Amino acid sequence: MAEDLGKKIEEAIKEALRKFDREQEDPHFLVLGATGAGKSSLINRVFRAELHPVSDVKSTTRAFSTKRYTASGNNPILITDSPGYGEVGHDEEYSRMVVNESRKCHVIILVLKADEKGYQRDLDILTAVFSSPEFDQEKPLLIALNQIDKLPPVREWAPPYALGGPDDSDDSEKAKNIKAKLQLVREQFRSLGGRLAPLVDPVMSEPREGTPFGIEAFREHLFDALPKVAKLKYARAARIAEKASRELVVKLDHMADAIIACNATAAAAAVLANPVPVSDWIILVPLQIGMIVEIGAVYGKTIDWATAKETLAALGAGFAARTLFQGIISLLPGIKNMLGPPYAAAATYGMGKAAKQYFKTGKSPSAEQIKKAVEAELSRQKAN
């Protein structure tokens, strides 16, 4: 019996990993900008200079080039780089190429040099892109105002600068000039016509010229802009959970909580629809394992076969004698194999909270902590 249970758990883990991988997409970014804007240095800095090209997805002379990169844990990222504006015929041709490339990417990144006097050519090209009937108006555009250290006074570079609020009498001349340039760029590109107003981030990406600035915020905004199908792979590849800001930690926590709530609801529905109550655990084990895999990805963990087994063991689900489902249910007095929807939801919720704590802190919660989470959710379920 124990051997059969162990095999069923192994099968459930493998299927959860396969399903999770099938439902994810490699994050794909299209990077635009004039020659010298610092596109390469920005991308390398965003991903902590750990990107290594492994293959050319598409590369042609004087055209757009897409490469597949791997970062931590071999998590792939696709980056389509663009030639300088002057290298590809007329601007109309360039705009058509951007429209074509944008169909394949999740987010468009425009890199501008902060010390340029104007961005009319960038604006003309993107205006043509956004006005094209073939362009997806929902496609996010992130603008990186790069090399802000070169704004006057050039010799001053003493970050951090508080650039999020209105002008302040205590602002240095540098901060005032950066704010003014940000406001100008926002006003210029607000007219693009897409439904999503472009976000403008001030950055300094070249470490040889001083302390980098704005990279964490830009990294987080890329995370925000990605669709869910690509968010989790990006979280792992960019390792955004390791040195996350307080704001990003809150976002990751909310994302994990949403996954837990969704799976708890799915567990209740599955038990309600199951005509054979004693087999509830057969339905719920794959669901709970899939939930754990997804929560791990939120916190930047690459979940493979070995990690999945290690995680389940750490959460108290032995492979020889009991299933993950049975381990959690044993915390509820008088409950064995037969469950109602509230109990199934509560058990799944408790396991989700335990997995969240484990991946977030590296420490497994105690049985008593899991029990309290399960009981609290059970009370909430019964009250609804």
Side-chain angles (χ1 to χ4, degrees), residues 3-321:
E3 184 178 347
D4 290 340
L5 293 178
K7 288 182 178 179
K8 287 183 181 296
I9 288 180
E10 290 190 2
E11 291 171 1
I13 293 174
K14 290 176 180 177
E15 176 54 31
L17 291 172
R18 285 193 294 268
K19 181 175 183 291
F20 181 76
D21 190 58
R22 287 195 303 268
E23 292 179 352
Q24 298 303 298
E25 295 181 13
D26 296 341
H28 192 164
F29 304 104
L30 170 59
V31 186
L32 308 175
T35 303
K39 294 180 292 182
S40 296
S41 66
L42 174 64
I43 293 302
N44 287 335
R45 202 68 189 166
V46 165
F47 295 101
R48 298 187 174 90
E50 291 184 2
L51 291 180
H52 307 286
V54 293
S55 65
D56 287 338
V57 177
K58 184 191 69 178
S59 182
T60 56
T61 305
R62 297 179 61 193
F64 289 72
S65 175
T66 300
K67 292 182 182 294
R68 179 175 286 108
Y69 295 83
T70 58
S72 59
N74 295 321
N75 294 291
I77 291 176
L78 295 175
I79 297 178
T80 298
D81 198 3
S82 58
Y85 298 150
E87 299 175 31
V88 182
H90 299 290
D91 289 354
E92 292 82 0
E93 180 185 355
Y94 194 95
S95 297
R96 285 195 298 271
M97 296 174 74
V98 172
V99 172
N100 290 335
E101 294 297 329
S102 70
R103 296 193 187 102
K104 310 161 194 172
C105 76
H106 295 116
V107 180
I108 300 173
I109 300 171
L110 173 63
V111 184
L112 302 176
K113 289 181 65 176
D115 60 343
E116 286 287 342
K117 293 183 178 180
Y119 306 103
Q120 192 58 51
R121 192 172 188 188
D122 303 84
L123 188 57
D124 289 344
I125 288 172
L126 282 176
T127 298
V129 169
F130 274 74
S131 61
S132 170
E134 299 177 6
F135 180 72
D136 179 5
Q137 298 294 320
E138 301 291 332
K139 190 76 66 174
L141 169 65
L142 268 65
I143 299 176
L145 188 63
N146 199 15
Q147 303 174 8
I148 60 170
D149 57 308
K150 294 182 179 179
L151 289 173
V154 176
R155 293 185 179 181
E156 178 198 330
W157 182 241
Y161 294 99
L163 304 175
D167 289 344
D168 189 284
S169 58
D170 293 332
D171 284 344
S172 66
E173 184 180 355
K174 187 84 163 187
K176 291 178 181 177
N177 288 333
I178 295 174
K179 285 183 177 181
K181 196 59 175 278
L182 283 170
Q183 183 62 27
L184 176 64
V185 171
R186 288 174 181 135
E187 290 175 356
Q188 284 184 319
F189 286 86
R190 189 176 290 137
S191 62
L192 283 177
R195 289 185 59 189
L196 302 176
L199 184 68
V200 184
D201 275 337
V203 294
M204 199 289 269
S205 60
E206 183 47 72
R208 290 174 299 181
E209 297 184 11
T211 306
F213 178 86
I215 302 300
E216 287 297 329
F218 189 74
R219 188 181 289 127
E220 293 171 21
H221 290 152
L222 287 177
F223 175 81
D224 292 338
L226 285 168
K228 185 182 178 183
V229 292
K231 258 185 169 66
L232 299 183
K233 278 195 174 181
Y234 174 78
R236 299 198 299 270
R239 297 190 303 155
I240 61 175
E242 291 186 10
K243 296 181 179 179
S245 68
R246 184 175 300 176
E247 292 78 10
L248 181 55
V249 168
V250 171
K251 292 177 184 177
L252 295 176
D253 288 346
H254 285 167
M255 193 171 181
D257 289 340
I259 292 169
I260 295 168
C262 180
N263 280 277
T265 300
V271 167
L272 184 63
N274 183 22
V276 187
V278 294
S279 64
D280 286 340
W281 69 272
I282 298 176
I283 298 172
L284 295 179
V285 166
L287 184 148
Q288 292 172 338
I289 291 173
M291 174 184 65
I292 289 172
V293 169
E294 196 169 0
I295 292 171
V298 168
Y299 292 101
K301 307 299 181 183
T302 300
I303 310 298
D304 53 18
W305 168 244
T307 309
K309 289 204 300 183
E310 175 188 336
T311 303
L312 295 179
L315 295 177
F319 287 84

